[in-house]
Every structure is written in structure tokens, then in C-alpha cells.
């Protein structure tokens, strides 16, 4: 298959084992995001794929050609890869056009310049061709770095935190432009990031790395968000409301409602994580089904596109427990007013707790089974 194939790669710096038998496949035409905490080995993985770091164990294959294993090391410039790192690494003494044509050393000069101008045009930087990098803003430097990485028509593009140097407003815009350029080029792209929202926006597929470089879960953004298979993955996207309960008759009961838990045995202690948008608020004081719990509103925070409402449960067992609720529409309940909090099971995830009541961590966990059919995807 065309693209990048990393097979059973392990890597250590001295005694520090950073990657342990990591494998991944990035097919041509796809943007794959590696999402993981700082220090999880993301940059190391990219450097190994690029050939900037000697491979210790495993195999790197690009378009079905082995470019590195324990005995072989194809140098970076012969791997057909494009690279873009966080700091862009433009050559300060070269103008924009020369920066972009730098990697086209195999071509006749006028042909290389034509190709470089074409790439600059694609990223909207043709009118800066004669400028030097220090004359450009961060966003403009990012565009030039992207043009430089793509100019030699690489088989694989490796991006390491490519937007982290940009401020929030610009980041959104550049992200969108970059994605359009990547899709038009059809190159297999690996983008490393520690920003879950960025991964959700950019990726055809997301691979979540745990602390030792192992892949905890891989899937389309929708799967990662709605079917997290690990507590760690569920918690990546921010605040969660947490409850503990026990499976009874294939169900788990929390104050907000009942959730089916078919794949767990009765009597199994569980934790239930509910996303802030999975808590539904009703001001009419009672649903037809009688489901839900009375709550007091303690505060509301308008975030712009939606509200975060804090409510306090009033029941005996969970007296005083605070919940975070995300409300998309302009629902601003009055403070201290009694309302009912219910549950959207699509946003609730059940994970088994082991005998000691501790989280079972990164072992196989069970997903919540929604009690109502899901909308077609
Ligand atoms: N050149 C190096 N020499 C020694 N240790 C390194 C080197 N590069 C990275 N490390 C260590 O390897 C681990 C993973 O680093 P890195 O691959 O940069 O992770 P990430 O990009 O996910 O933050 C860290 O503990 C880091 O300190
Ligand atoms: Mg890094």
C-alpha cells in the first residue's frame, strides 16, 4: 500500500525507552494526526521516519520500499519525505523563493523556480517571493515552510506541531488553508499535535499515543469522540462529569438516568464519565419519563458559542455534587432556580473499575451502549 508504514519500532535514548514496538500505517491521501501528551515520543517517531534519527529496532517503509531497518538507513534526502517542524526552520540568508526551491536540487534551475513559484502561489505567498524570512509574520513563514516541504512532491509529509507558534485567531485560518493544500496534493500526511481540537479538525484518522508511545486508540474523529475505548481518551477533550456505580441487570444507574451496559457483568463496579454536553437541562421541572434529577443552578458562563452552566445535585446520595453542563443554545437559567438534569447516553461512557475500586487504566474497557438508536453516521 502507498504511504508510510512504521513497523514494530522501538527506541531508547540511553536508558530512557521512548517507543515500545510502535506500529502505524498512513495511507496516501490521508491526514493522520498523532495526538499524545508531551514526552510521549511523537517527535522521535517523526525523526525516525524522516531518517534524522538512526533506527534501533523495527522497520520504516515508504511506498512499499524499506527505507530503514536494523541494517539499512536511507538518508533523509532520498526518502521522498517533506518535513515541517514547529519553528519552520527557514534559511534566514535565503529569500522565500530560494527557500522553496532549495529541495529541488535535481531539477534544472528554471524548472525548479517555476515549481517553487507554483507552490508559493498555492499557499498565497507568490508576492513575497523576493522577501527574506525575517520580513514575514509567523503565519506567512508557516505558509512558506509548507510550500518548501511540498515542492519536491514528497510521498510522505511529516508535520510536527505545525501551528503551535501561531496565535489562536490566525491558527484557525492557517489550519484551514493548510488542510486544503494537503488535500489537493494527495500526500500521505502525519501531523503531530498535543491539541485534541486541532487533531479533530485536521485528521481523517487520529491515533492516540499513551505515555510510552503505544497507540491507545486509532479511529476517525467521530469514533474517538463518541466511542473512547479508554478513560484517558475520553478525558482528552476536557472536563468530564464522573460518577461511580455498579452494573445491575445490564444497566448502570446514575442520578441523571439509566444507561445500558451490555458488555459488562452484573455486579461490576464502574465509573461513568459524562461529557458536559451530555447533561440535558429542562426548566419545566419534570420529564414525561420521570428520568433526571433536580438540580440547582450555581453559575453560568457564556463562552461565546455556548454556555457552561454549573449545577448542584440535590438528592440525598449525591448531595452537593457539582456538574458541568454545556448548553449550545441561548439557554441561561436563572441562578438558584430548580431545574431537572437528564442524560444523553451518546455522551456517557462506562469504564469498569477493578476489584480495588481503582481505575483499570489502559486495559480493555467497555463503551456505553446507548439506550436509543443512534442517528445514522
Ligand atoms: N535527542 C534526545 N536525547 C535524549 N533524550 C531525548 C532526545 N529527544 C527526546 N528525548 C526524550 O525522549 C522522550 C520523548 O521525546 P519526544 O519524542 O520529543 O516527545 P514528544 O514529541 O511527544 O513531546 C522525552 O522524555 C525526551 O526527553
Ligand atoms: Mg515533540
Amino acid at each position: 500500500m502507498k504511504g508510510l508504514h512504521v513497523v514494530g519500532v522501538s527506541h531508547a535514548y540511553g536508558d530512557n525507552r521512548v517507543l515500545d514496538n510502535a506500529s502505524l500505517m498512513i495511507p496516501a491521501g490521508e491526514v493522520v494526526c498523532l495526538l499524545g501528551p508531551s514526552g510521549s515520543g511523537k517527535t522521535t517517531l517523526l525523526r525516525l521516519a524522516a531518517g534524522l534519527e538512526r533506527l534501533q529496532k523495527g522497520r520504516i517503509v515508504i511506498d512499499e520500499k524499506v527505507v530503514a531497518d536494523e541494517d539499512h538507513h536511507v538518508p533523509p534526502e532520498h526518502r521522498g519525505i517533506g518535513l515541517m517542524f514547529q519553528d519552520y526552520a527557514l534559511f534566514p540568508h535565503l529569500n522565500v523563493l530560494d527557500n522553496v526551491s532549495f529541495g529541488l536540487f535535481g531539477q534544472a534551475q528554471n524548472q525548479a523556480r517555476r515549481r517553487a513559484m507554483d507552490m508559493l502561489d498555492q499557499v498565497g505567498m507568490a508576492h513575497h517571493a523576493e522577501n527574506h524570512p525575517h520580513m514575514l509574520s509567523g503565519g506567512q513563514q508557516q505558509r512558506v515552510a509548507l510550500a518548501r516541504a511540498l515542492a519536491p512532491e514528497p510521498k510522505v509529509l511529516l508535520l510536527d506541531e505545525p501551528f503551535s507558534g501561531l496565535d489562536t485567531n490566525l491558527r484557525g485560518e492557517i489550519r484551514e488553508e493548510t488542510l486544503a493544500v494537503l488535500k489537493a496534493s494527495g500526500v500521505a500526511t502525519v501531523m503531530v499535535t498535543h491539541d485534541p481540537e486541532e487533531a479533530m479538525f485536521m485528521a481523517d484518522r487520529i491515533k492516540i499515543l499513551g505515555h510510552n508511545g503505544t497507540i491507545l486508540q486509532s479511529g476517525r474523529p467521530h469514533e474517538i469522540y463518541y466511542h473512547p475505548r479508554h478513560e484517558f481518551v475520553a478525558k482528552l477533550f476536557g472536563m468530564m462529569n464522573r460518577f461511580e456505580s455498579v452494573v445491575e441487570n445490564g444497566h448502570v444507574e446514575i442520578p441523571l438516568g439509566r444507561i445500558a451496559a451490555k458488555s459488562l457483568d452484573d455486579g461490576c463496579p464502574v465509573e461513568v464519565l459524562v461529557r458536559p454536553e451530555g447533561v440535558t437541562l429542562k426548566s419545566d421541572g419534570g420529564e414525561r419519563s420521570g428520568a433526571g434529577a433536580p438540580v440547582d443552578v450555581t453559575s453560568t458562563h457564556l463562552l461565546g458559542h455556548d454556555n457552561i452552566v454549573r449545577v448542584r445535585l440535590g438528592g440525598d446520595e449525591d448531595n452537593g455534587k457539582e456538574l458541568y453542563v454545556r448548553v449550545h443554545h441561548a439557554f441561561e437559567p436563572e441562578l438558584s432556580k430548580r431545574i431537572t438534569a437528564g442524560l444523553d447516553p451518546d455522551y456517557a461512557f462506562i469504564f469498569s473499575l477493578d476489584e480495588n475500586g481503582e481505575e483499570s487504566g489502559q486495559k480493555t474497557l467497555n463503551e456505553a451502549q446507548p439506550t436509543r438508536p443512534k442517528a445514522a453516521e
Side-chain angles (χ1 to χ4, degrees), residues 13 16 18 37-44:
Y13 298 104
N16 183 10
V18 179
S38 177
S40 56
K42 304 183 297 296
T43 296
T44 301

Side-chain angles (χ1 to χ4, degrees), residues 42-43 160-161 192:
K42 304 183 297 296
T43 296
D160 195 354
E161 312 256 2
V192 152

Side-chain angles (χ1 to χ4, degrees), residues 233-355:
V233 177
K235 286 179 171 170
L236 272 176
F237 299 93
M239 250 301 302
M240 295 293 262
N241 296 296
R242 184 179 186 278
F243 301 88
E244 286 190 12
S245 187
V246 174
V247 181
E248 279 174 48
N249 301 321
H251 285 80
V252 169
E253 187 96 39
I254 60 171
L256 304 177
R258 237 159 82 92
I259 315 161
K262 286 195 200 112
S263 48
L264 289 169
D265 294 336
D266 280 1
C268 176
V270 292
E271 71 167 342
V272 181
L273 299 176
V274 182
R275 293 205 191 284
E277 60 266 47
V279 183
T280 55
L281 297 182
K282 287 227 167 86
S283 53
D284 60 14
E287 294 166 42
R288 270 169 293 135
S289 64
V295 292
D296 294 315
V297 178
T298 55
S299 67
T300 68
H301 306 268
L302 179 64
L303 298 182
H305 39 77
D306 48 25
N307 298 307
I308 285 288
V309 180
R310 283 192 207 201
V311 299
R312 188 176 292 134
L313 280 167
D316 289 342
E317 268 174 50
D318 294 279
N319 213 357
K321 185 180 173 65
E322 276 220 335
L323 303 178
Y324 290 78
V325 188
R326 190 182 291 274
V327 183
H328 288 292
H329 47 89
F331 173 69
E332 287 183 66
E334 289 165 43
L335 285 186
S336 309
K337 194 177 165 193
R338 277 239 140 173
I339 53 176
T340 302
L343 178 71
D344 181 345
D346 277 359
Y347 297 91
F349 312 111
I350 305 173
F351 299 108
S352 72
L353 297 170
D354 70 17
E355 268 91 291

Side-chain angles (χ1 to χ4, degrees), residues 39-105:
S40 56
K42 304 183 297 296
T43 296
T44 301
L45 201 55
L46 286 198
R47 290 177 56 83
L48 287 166
L52 299 173
E53 196 79 51
R54 275 264 173 188
L55 193 70
Q56 295 170 352
K57 190 166 185 296
R59 201 161 70 239
I60 309 277
V61 185
I62 294 175
D63 280 7
E64 291 170 4
K65 183 172 171 259
V66 176
V67 295
D69 59 21
E70 275 123 276
D71 306 316
H72 301 92
H73 179 85
V74 175
E77 61 273 24
H78 294 133
R79 290 195 180 188
I81 44 145
L83 283 172
M84 192 166 107
F85 289 116
Q86 200 166 341
D87 58 2
Y88 315 135
L90 297 175
F91 304 117
H93 59 291
L94 297 181
N95 71 21
V96 163
L97 183 62
D98 290 339
N99 261 283
V100 178
S101 42
F102 185 84
L104 305 172
F105 45 81

